[in-house]
Amino acid sequence: MKRVVQFLVLISAFALYSNYALAGSWKLHYKLKPGQVWIATLHSQSETAFMGKKNITRTKTLIEYKVCPGPKKGWVSLKARIKSQSGPSGQSGGQMDLSRLRFTADMHRSGEIRNIQYSGNPFPGMQANTKGMPAGMAAMYEQSSRMVAEAWKNAVFWFPELPEDSLEIGDEFDVTRKMGAGGRTGGMQMQSVSKQLFTLEDVSEGLAYFTIRERTITRTGSPMGGKSDTKTAGKAKAVFDLHEGMWAELAMKSRSRVQLGNMPGMSGGGSHDVLQVSKYTVERKK
């Protein structure tokens, strides 16, 4: 009888342990390997309301990533390019062509990114247009090219850095990003700080589901004394593929309040609101 009781106790303990293990915890890391090619599709919609007018802009952008051997163990090098973009892309000295830009970076399996570099000019006719211009104006055109590349650098390498510890349902981790564009002397300048809080909501069939809260503050200044402050708050949902070691999708909806302060072309400041909806979907080319 005593042995039977001990056996039942062991069975009960094993059952409890099994339930705990089933609830479990999951360690997230990127599983990018040299030779892989990934495609990210970014759907974006912006709705602005200013001076009684509403404007809606929609774009679709395809970004290609080629995974190459990294500088050391645990790292890979990414070569990225914007394959195409449909929808308004803006004009500045000629139609903007984002496919002319090239981006490279080293990425750790944790998501840490180093050595980001870019090349190419998104304005094909810029060099011809700047010939004969005053030096200051030509420099502003050149800086506008760099600012476009800087802005898209952050959109291309958008992958959140993952936590060191394993996660259980309900656990959180935060990601802080600091972005900047423009030089310290002259030209347009932009500084931005973004904080995201990820919460693991569920894990099912190899997919981890997260909700995200985000807050961003952006400050922009021009050489003519104009400036703007933008405060953004948003919510998102994301899905991480544990088998592939990559985000399957990330969908964000945010609202921004832009406070203008003597920006060129504006009559004394003011503010306007921006509603932004964006969604990344990612897949590996077979």
Side-chain angles (χ1 to χ4, degrees), residues 205-249:
E205 298 182 356
L207 299 177
Y209 296 85
F210 290 87
T211 55
I212 308 168
R213 287 177 291 170
E214 178 181 31
R215 290 190 177 276
T216 302
I217 297 178
T218 303
R219 291 185 170 85
T220 304
S222 78
M224 291 174 281
K227 63 180 182 179
S228 69
D229 291 334
T230 303
K231 295 182 179 180
T232 302
K235 295 182 179 180
K237 294 183 178 180
V239 181
F240 188 86
D241 190 320
L242 296 169
H243 175 70
E244 291 282 5
M246 172 55 75
W247 297 95
E249 66 177 51

Side-chain angles (χ1 to χ4, degrees), residues 161-200:
E161 189 169 346
L162 303 174
E164 294 182 2
D165 298 330
S166 297
L167 297 176
E168 298 180 9
I169 303 300
D171 282 350
E172 300 175 339
F173 71 93
D174 56 73
V175 176
T176 299
R177 294 190 177 197
K178 296 181 180 180
M179 299 165 280
R184 294 185 178 181
T185 58
M188 186 72 72
Q189 300 179 34
M190 184 275 289
Q191 298 293 328
S192 179
V193 177
S194 174
K195 294 184 178 181
Q196 295 177 318
L197 180 65
F198 288 71
T199 303
L200 179 61

Side-chain angles (χ1 to χ4, degrees), residues 11-278:
I11 291 296
S12 300
F14 178 77
L16 289 173
Y17 176 79
S18 297
N19 290 334
Y20 175 80
L22 186 62
S25 61
W26 295 267
K27 180 72 172 72
L28 276 61
H29 59 267
Y30 293 97
K31 299 180 182 180
L32 302 179
K33 297 179 181 179
Q36 291 180 341
V37 177
W38 292 81
I39 300 293
T41 303
L42 170 60
H43 290 272
S44 181
Q45 175 177 308
S46 296
E47 180 180 314
T48 59
F50 183 63
M51 298 180 67
K53 294 182 179 181
K54 182 181 292 187
N55 181 56
I56 298 178
T57 302
R58 297 183 179 91
T59 60
K60 176 183 177 182
T61 308
L62 296 181
I63 308 172
E64 179 186 77
Y65 304 86
K66 292 184 178 180
V67 185
C68 303
K72 53 186 176 180
K73 185 177 180 180
W75 292 78
V76 294
S77 292
L78 298 180
K79 293 183 178 180
R81 67 185 181 102
I82 298 173
K83 293 188 64 176
S84 64
Q85 184 182 67
S86 58
S89 57
Q91 292 184 349
S92 180
Q95 186 68 29
M96 185 161 62
D97 183 3
L98 296 175
S99 68
R100 297 168 63 90
L101 296 172
R102 296 291 184 271
F103 303 88
T104 61
D106 295 328
M107 182 174 175
H108 188 257
R109 65 201 309 265
S110 67
E112 180 184 352
I113 294 180
R114 297 179 180 176
N115 305 323
I116 298 178
Q117 299 182 29
Y118 56 82
S119 61
N121 192 326
F123 304 114
M126 177 176 289
Q127 291 183 343
N129 293 337
T130 55
K131 291 181 179 179
M133 281 186 178
M137 185 172 294
M140 289 183 64
Y141 269 94
E142 293 292 338
Q143 189 188 39
S144 67
S145 172
R146 292 194 300 272
M147 288 194 71
V148 168
E150 284 282 347
W152 274 98
K153 174 191 73 175
N154 298 308
V156 168
F157 298 118
W158 57 275
F159 314 109
E161 189 169 346
L162 303 174
E164 294 182 2
D165 298 330
S166 297
L167 297 176
E168 298 180 9
I169 303 300
D171 282 350
E172 300 175 339
F173 71 93
D174 56 73
V175 176
T176 299
R177 294 190 177 197
K178 296 181 180 180
M179 299 165 280
R184 294 185 178 181
T185 58
M188 186 72 72
Q189 300 179 34
M190 184 275 289
Q191 298 293 328
S192 179
V193 177
S194 174
K195 294 184 178 181
Q196 295 177 318
L197 180 65
F198 288 71
T199 303
L200 179 61
E201 301 291 350
D202 189 23
V203 176
S204 176
E205 298 182 356
L207 299 177
Y209 296 85
F210 290 87
T211 55
I212 308 168
R213 287 177 291 170
E214 178 181 31
R215 290 190 177 276
T216 302
I217 297 178
T218 303
R219 291 185 170 85
T220 304
S222 78
M224 291 174 281
K227 63 180 182 179
S228 69
D229 291 334
T230 303
K231 295 182 179 180
T232 302
K235 295 182 179 180
K237 294 183 178 180
V239 181
F240 188 86
D241 190 320
L242 296 169
H243 175 70
E244 291 282 5
M246 172 55 75
W247 297 95
E249 66 177 51
L250 187 153
M252 171 71 71
K253 183 177 182 180
S254 63
R255 291 185 180 274
S256 301
R257 170 60 61 91
V258 183
Q259 184 67 45
L260 303 173
N262 300 320
M263 291 295 288
M266 302 293 180
S267 55
S271 64
H272 67 279
D273 297 324
V274 179
L275 172 63
Q276 178 80 21
V277 179
S278 60

